Amino acid sequence: MKTRLLILGLLSTVVALSGCVTKPYDYTNFRAHPPRSILVLPPLNESTDTRGTYGYLSTVTMPLAEMGYYVFPVVVVDQYMKENGLPGAGEMHQVPLDKIRDIIGADAVLYITLKQYGSKYQVLTSTTIVTAEGKLVDVKTGLTLWEGTANVQQSSSSGNIIADLVVAAVDQAVNSSTDQAHDLSHMANMQLLMTKDHGLLYGPYYPKEK
Amino acid sequence: MLFTGCQSPAVYYWGHYEDLVYGTYAKPDKFPPEMQVQTMEEDLHRAISANKPVPPGFHAHLGYLYFQLGKADLARQEFENEKKQYPESTVFMDRMLANLSKK
């Protein structure tokens, strides 16, 4: 961890926050059916990095809870579903809403799909990309309360070729054992869920302004 | 860690909760239930000292770990704690409690 922090500090890390800055999301459905509790299902992973589903899942609870929602315990839910015949994210995303209401009692379900997840190593640099789509669905009515996309990219290139060579070597050594896209998922999530006018609205546990 | 700077301070005492969630899947051999329980019990003490609530799911996760270790009474207590702190969890926690009584 220390090494990683040091390396992160040495690198001139370029974080590109893209995503469209268009008009605010239409929160009509969200305001009509404001959830108290959110069930986060393990994300569908469309990338080739098999670590995506759980590398991303483990970063979703904190932003949602700090935004004021009750978030169901992600590991307990995942294990419960597996024990009940749903081996993976694909099957879990197919569970009918009335079943979710009966078994979990959630107000809303957050479905996440990872369009991209992982690192690419070139000669001099590595690039890590996380692209996530999110959809929040009201359990009672089936209405989509919110949808959003986040795209976060991090590159280790500094522009100095000697420095880059050293960095690339260290990078590959360090990152072959760690999942950089997991670290980047924290940022992707904040962009996905917390961006003003495009993320979620605050929930019932969010502290009222004084 | 995440909620510093321009963000308002965190509502919850997070401790290692999300690290444990990650470790459960990424490095299961290094995150066995015994280790997770010890970490969470310590975090719980720190949360009480810091006078901050533990986040949603914390007690339920701890309860599930006790259940895995065969400590049904402690598991029951933690599922009840989750319900008490967050009534939104009632349906799911009642299901977990019912599972406990079955075994």
Side-chain angles (χ1 to χ4, degrees), chain B residues 10-14 42-53:
Chain B
V11 172
Y12 301 108
Y13 186 89
W14 285 89
E42 287 166 13
D43 279 343
L44 197 51
H45 287 297
R46 290 194 200 98
I48 292 163
S49 307
N51 200 22
K52 277 194 166 188

Side-chain angles (χ1 to χ4, degrees), chain A:
Chain A
M1 192 64 201
K2 254 189 185 159
T3 334
R4 191 156 25 131
L5 284 178
L6 184 70
I7 290 164
L8 278 177
L10 287 172
L11 293 174
S12 56
T13 305
V14 183
V15 176
L17 293 169
S18 67
C20 41
V21 184
T22 48
K23 59 180 184 184
Y25 188 81
D26 177 356
Y27 291 102
T28 310
N29 286 350
F30 205 124
R31 291 205 171 88
H33 306 275
R36 292 189 63 85
S37 63
I38 296 178
L39 170 67
V40 183
L41 290 176
L44 278 182
N45 183 10
E46 294 182 354
S47 82
T48 53
D49 190 330
T50 54
R51 299 173 296 186
T53 291
Y54 294 106
Y56 198 93
L57 177 67
S58 55
T59 67
V60 186
T61 305
M62 191 187 276
L64 280 181
E66 291 290 341
M67 288 184 82
Y69 293 100
Y70 177 73
V71 184
F72 290 87
V74 289
V75 172
V76 186
V77 168
D78 177 63
Q79 301 290 339
Y80 180 84
M81 289 191 166
K82 281 177 179 160
E83 283 162 18
N84 286 279
L86 304 169
E91 291 83 2
M92 296 178 195
H93 282 233
Q94 298 301 319
V95 176
L97 293 173
D98 55 347
K99 269 210 152 169
I100 284 178
R101 189 157 67 153
D102 286 353
I103 294 166
I104 315 276
D107 293 337
V109 186
L110 180 60
Y111 298 96
I112 295 169
T113 302
L114 298 170
K115 306 304 268 187
Q116 298 183 86
Y117 182 99
S119 299
K120 285 188 192 122
Y121 298 97
Q122 286 95 22
V123 181
L124 293 181
T125 60
S126 71
T127 305
T128 305
I129 301 178
V130 176
T131 306
E133 288 178 0
K135 184 178 179 180
L136 188 71
V137 174
D138 182 49
V139 169
K140 265 183 210 151
T141 62
L143 287 171
T144 296
L145 303 182
W146 167 88
E147 276 181 291
T149 305
N151 182 312
V152 181
Q153 190 168 331
Q154 189 170 10
S155 162
S156 63
S157 171
S158 73
N160 175 330
I161 195 161
I162 303 294
D164 279 352
L165 272 173
V166 175
V167 162
V170 176
D171 238 21
Q172 193 138 20
V174 171
N175 294 324
S176 56
S177 59
T178 58
D179 182 1
Q180 261 203 333
H182 164 68
D183 298 335
L184 208 60
S185 295
H186 291 286
M187 217 177 287
N189 251 316
M190 288 176 71
Q191 190 191 103
L192 181 67
L193 303 169
M194 302 178 86
T195 305
K196 194 177 182 311
D197 294 334
H198 294 278
L200 298 192
L201 302 175
Y202 288 116
Y205 286 104
Y206 190 76
K208 301 268 185 297
E209 281 179 49
K210 292 184 186 92

Side-chain angles (χ1 to χ4, degrees), chain B:
Chain B
M1 49 176 174
L2 272 175
F3 293 86
T4 53
C6 54
Q7 298 290 336
S8 55
V11 172
Y12 301 108
Y13 186 89
W14 285 89
H16 301 81
Y17 178 59
E18 289 215 308
D19 297 335
L20 296 179
V21 169
Y22 179 60
T24 300
Y25 299 104
K27 298 162 191 158
D29 49 322
K30 287 187 180 158
F31 288 80
E34 295 84 354
M35 172 272 185
Q36 292 202 35
V37 161
Q38 197 188 335
T39 308
M40 294 192 91
E41 285 174 348
E42 287 166 13
D43 279 343
L44 197 51
H45 287 297
R46 290 194 200 98
I48 292 163
S49 307
N51 200 22
K52 277 194 166 188
V54 291
F58 185 102
H59 285 295
H61 187 97
L62 181 55
Y64 185 74
L65 293 168
Y66 283 135
F67 166 71
Q68 285 180 305
L69 294 174
K71 299 179 175 176
D73 288 347
L74 287 169
R76 182 170 295 116
Q77 196 180 312
E78 290 304 323
F79 293 146
E80 293 287 356
N81 282 340
E82 180 83 14
K83 252 167 79 170
K84 207 187 301 171
Q85 188 178 355
Y86 300 106
E88 294 83 359
S89 70
T90 302
V91 171
F92 189 48
M93 288 302 101
D94 282 348
R95 195 161 288 275
M96 301 312 280
L97 287 163
N99 272 355
L100 273 180
S101 337
K102 262 188 244 160
K103 297 197 171 148

